Amino acid sequence: MSLFTNQFFIGFVINFILIYVFFKIPLMTKRGWVSAGILGTILWGCLSWQGWISVVIYLLFGSLVTKIGFKFKKEKGIAEKRGGRRGPENVWGSAATGLFLAMMTKFNAANVVFFKIGFAASFAAKLADTFGSEIGKRFGKDTYLITSLKKVDRGTEGGISVEGTLASALGSLFMTFIMLLLSIISTKSHFMIVAVSGFLATLSESIIGAKFQNKYKLSNEMVNAIQTSIASIFAIFSFAFVSYF
């Protein structure tokens, strides 16, 4: 195979050029851009441009929604650090599960549909989480701890609001639609499994935040990795169950 037709080489060149052009846009830190370049190169090599663009869309909309009401959230002390710019820990915490599943499509072609559904669910869950968290912190009128429904302050780990929960559902549906549009998933059944898995995993992330995050000193990135893994596992097993029956 020629180097110039190798998908990994093509991915590297495209990511290098785009990062060079957009480097000064305050979406990521310097190390965040490097991590995004590595991630993008591998994704292009494994899932071609469709897998790559799906994650670019996730990063773009995740970054944009973080900016909504940023001044308000900063005044309340609940805004994302570094002005919302993503660092390497954010990139890998959000994308490690999806990257693993993308790589598995190269090593186990017989189960590629399972891996693609898991890949799609991981990013549906992450965008659902970002939508719910950022919109909830800005527009949520009342915030309740998911495990007890006790009223808590905005930004409390495990806190949810009606507005944020609806935003989570929207985020999962939107990201699932992107995955369908890009043919990473291909049927209505896939769509429902991925969208529901992404939303349920976001609720599970709130439970983890409420009960375990402070107790075991889990970082937000670790919780993100757990959440995306839950979404992928739930989606894969749901697809296997539906396929079997």
Side-chain angles (χ1 to χ4, degrees):
M1 179 185 292
S2 169
L3 177 64
F4 296 102
T5 60
N6 182 281
Q7 289 295 303
F8 289 97
F9 179 75
I10 293 170
F12 172 78
V13 171
I14 289 173
N15 279 277
F16 180 86
I17 293 171
L18 290 177
I19 290 173
Y20 179 81
V21 171
F22 295 108
F23 185 76
K24 292 188 177 180
I25 296 177
L27 293 176
M28 296 186 182
T29 64
K30 289 181 180 179
R31 290 192 297 169
W33 280 114
V34 171
S35 295
I38 295 170
L39 172 66
T41 298
I42 299 173
L43 285 174
W44 192 296
C46 294
L47 292 175
S48 194
W49 66 269
Q50 293 96 331
W52 178 83
I53 197 67
S54 69
V55 177
V56 169
I57 291 171
Y58 154 71
L59 289 171
L60 177 62
F61 277 86
S63 296
L64 289 175
V65 79
T66 300
K67 300 292 186 181
I68 295 176
F70 190 83
K71 182 179 179 181
F72 173 86
K73 289 181 281 191
K74 187 175 181 180
E75 290 173 351
K76 296 289 185 180
I78 54 176
E80 288 289 326
K81 59 185 179 180
R82 298 184 301 240
R85 291 185 300 163
R86 283 357 192 200
E89 71 281 9
N90 303 116
V91 173
W92 297 117
S94 301
T97 300
L99 180 62
F100 169 77
L101 292 165
M103 292 170 66
M104 287 302 294
T105 64
K106 287 294 187 183
F107 292 109
N108 190 342
N111 293 311
V112 66
V113 176
F114 286 88
F115 298 133
K116 284 186 175 182
I117 285 173
F119 172 86
S122 73
F123 286 103
K126 197 64 206 70
L127 193 63
D129 175 45
T130 304
F131 268 46
S133 176
E134 297 301 330
I135 292 175
K137 284 190 290 188
R138 176 59 185 91
F139 298 107
K141 293 181 180 179
D142 296 301
T143 304
Y144 302 92
L145 198 65
I146 191 171
T147 52
S148 65
L149 298 183
K150 178 182 177 181
K151 195 170 182 178
V152 293
D153 294 330
R154 296 171 192 252
T156 300
E157 296 295 348
I160 61 171
S161 65
V162 171
E163 296 82 359
T165 301
L166 291 174
S168 289
L170 177 63
S172 186
L173 286 168
F174 173 75
M175 198 66 230
T176 305
F177 175 73
I178 294 298
M179 294 293 180
L180 182 65
L181 193 65
L182 293 170
S183 298
I184 292 171
I185 58 175
S186 56
T187 69
K188 291 180 180 179
S189 175
H190 295 174
F191 184 94
M192 290 300 298
I193 287 170
V194 170
V196 171
S197 297
F199 179 67
L200 291 180
T202 302
L203 295 180
S204 73
E205 190 264 354
S206 295
I207 295 172
I208 292 169
K211 292 186 68 67
F212 305 113
Q213 188 161 359
N214 290 330
K215 182 178 180 180
Y216 295 104
K217 294 181 170 48
L218 301 175
S219 67
N220 287 331
E221 291 70 40
M222 177 59 72
V223 174
N224 288 339
I226 294 171
Q227 178 210 8
T228 53
S229 297
I230 289 171
S232 297
I233 292 169
F234 186 82
I236 289 170
F237 275 93
S238 295
F239 175 66
F241 179 82
V242 170
S243 299
Y244 182 78
F245 289 101

